[in-house]
């Protein structure tokens, strides 16, 4: 394929207890780990010790392992570096400082830009895997008026997060992901009718993005949109 000649997208992966090549599950169409999503090869490196629960809670001791994994991706030719968990945004600054390519660790980097796309009367809804650990540090919004325009909802308590926290993780069916994310969005819109746009924090949610766009009529963004934008700016 033509995209085999293009520099790859490098992805920091959650630790599943083995080498990246050991996974027996093929990447799903439309997902972050599928090269056809970007018309580029994908290279991955596990972040040692980055079990999902540690990343979601925000374990600061993982920062060195993130930087080390990012440098390995650079050695393998990565043109852009991302990650397979939006909560890795806590290590965005450290990774960006350690490499010489664009770094987009999380779709949450889009929050300030998306707020500027919206009329001031509208709100941005962020859908996360676990809102219980979604702190203010993940948004990086200093202006209280901007923060007031962001509402957070999560799918904690559902099958998706339970499966993700297993060791090793269990893959959740796409229709179950769509159901949980849609239910979260429905509840958020009932509580906040001013919602005018959606942002998916979790890298497992792009499988539900198109369904949300159809069902809600709202512009909906996820990590694959941010990666496409960034990859379009590099060779």
């Amino acid at each position: 394929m033509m995209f085999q000649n293009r520099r790859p997208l490098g992805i920091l992966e959650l630790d599943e207890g083995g080498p990246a090549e050991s996974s027996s599950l093929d990447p799903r169409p439309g997902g972050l780990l599928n090269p056809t999503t970007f018309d580029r090869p994908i290279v991955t490196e596990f972040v040692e010790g980055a079990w999902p629960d540690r990343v979601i809670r925000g374990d600061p001791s993982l920062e060195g392992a993130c930087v080390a994994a990012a440098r390995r991706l650079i050695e393998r030719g990565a043109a852009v570096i991302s990650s397979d968990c939006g909560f890795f945004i806590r290590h965005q600054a450290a990774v960006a400082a350690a490499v010489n390519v664009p770094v987009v660790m999380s779709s949450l980097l889009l929050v300030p830009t998306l707020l500027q796309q919206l009329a001031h009367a509208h709100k941005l809804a962020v859908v996360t895997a676990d809102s219980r650990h979604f702190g203010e540090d993940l948004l990086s919004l200093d202006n209280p008026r901007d923060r007031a325009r962001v509402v957070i909802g999560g799918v904690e308590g559902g099958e998706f997060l339970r499966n993700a926290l297993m060791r090793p993780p269990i893959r959740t069916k796409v229709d179950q992901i769509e159901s949980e994310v849609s239910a979260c969005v429905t509840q958020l819109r009932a509580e906040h009718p001013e919602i005018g746009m959606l942002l998916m924090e979790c890298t497992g949610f792009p499988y539900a993005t198109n369904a949300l766009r159809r069902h809600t009529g709202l512009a909906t963004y996820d990590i694959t949109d941010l990666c496409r934008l960034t990859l379009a700016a590099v060779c």
Side-chain angles (χ1 to χ4, degrees), residues 51-70:
W51 292 96
D53 58 319
R54 293 182 68 191
V55 177
I56 289 172
R57 291 197 313 267
D59 187 336
S61 70
L62 294 173
E63 193 149 285
C66 287
V67 169

Side-chain angles (χ1 to χ4, degrees), residues 13 28 30 36 44 50 62 67 86 91 123 133 135 144 169 176 197 226:
E13 283 203 82
R28 286 169 165 165
T36 63
T44 65
L62 294 173
V67 169
H91 309 295
K123 292 183 177 181
H133 297 285
Q176 179 65 26
M197 190 175 290
L226 178 56

Side-chain angles (χ1 to χ4, degrees), residues 74-87:
I74 295 299
E75 292 173 357
R76 297 174 64 188
V80 170
I81 290 177
S82 188
S83 79
D84 73 344
C85 179
F87 285 89

Side-chain angles (χ1 to χ4, degrees), residues 23 34 44 52 95 101 104 129 131 152-153 167 174 182 186 214-215 220:
S23 174
N34 194 312
T44 65
V95 173
V101 301
V104 286
S131 64
I152 312 297
R167 296 192 179 190
V174 170
S182 295
T186 297
R214 291 192 301 269
H215 296 158
T220 304

Side-chain angles (χ1 to χ4, degrees), residues 5-222:
N5 297 321
R6 308 181 74 186
R7 293 171 64 199
L9 169 64
I11 299 174
L12 302 183
E13 283 203 82
L14 295 164
D15 194 342
E16 297 179 352
E21 293 79 7
S22 69
S23 174
S24 61
L25 299 175
D26 292 330
R28 286 169 165 165
L32 178 66
L33 295 173
N34 194 312
T36 63
T37 302
F38 308 105
D39 290 330
R40 284 180 185 261
I42 301 289
V43 291
T44 65
E45 289 284 343
F46 280 143
V47 177
E48 185 177 0
W51 292 96
D53 58 319
R54 293 182 68 191
V55 177
I56 289 172
R57 291 197 313 267
D59 187 336
S61 70
L62 294 173
E63 193 149 285
C66 287
V67 169
R71 286 173 172 160
R72 294 196 299 272
L73 289 172
I74 295 299
E75 292 173 357
R76 297 174 64 188
V80 170
I81 290 177
S82 188
S83 79
D84 73 344
C85 179
F87 285 89
F88 270 127
I89 194 172
R90 294 185 176 101
H91 309 295
Q92 168 74 27
V95 173
V99 299
N100 59 352
V101 301
V103 175
V104 286
M105 296 284 275
S106 173
S107 64
L108 296 174
L109 293 171
L110 289 170
V111 168
T113 298
L114 299 186
L115 285 175
Q116 293 187 60
Q117 292 183 13
L118 284 168
H120 288 294
H122 291 169
K123 292 183 177 181
L124 171 68
V126 177
V127 183
T128 176
D130 191 342
S131 64
R132 296 168 300 183
H133 297 285
F134 197 103
E136 297 297 316
D137 59 315
L138 301 185
L139 292 175
S140 298
L141 292 175
D142 297 326
N143 189 323
R145 288 175 295 180
D146 289 340
R147 178 62 187 89
R149 296 174 61 214
V150 179
V151 297
I152 312 297
V155 300
E156 59 271 10
E159 181 181 332
F160 174 81
L161 186 60
R162 286 198 302 272
N163 287 347
L165 293 177
M166 296 291 287
R167 296 192 179 190
I170 298 172
R171 175 181 275 189
T172 304
K173 293 181 179 179
V174 170
D175 59 354
Q176 179 65 26
I177 297 173
E178 288 186 3
S179 175
E180 293 185 18
V181 174
S182 295
C184 179
V185 169
T186 297
Q187 180 177 344
L188 284 173
R189 296 184 79 190
E191 297 171 355
H192 304 276
E194 316 94 316
I195 289 173
M197 190 175 290
L198 306 174
L199 175 65
M200 304 293 107
E201 168 275 319
C202 182
T203 60
F205 291 172
Y207 310 113
T209 299
N210 283 332
L212 285 171
R213 290 168 179 151
R214 291 192 301 269
H215 296 158
T216 67
L218 299 178
T220 304
Y221 292 82
D222 61 43

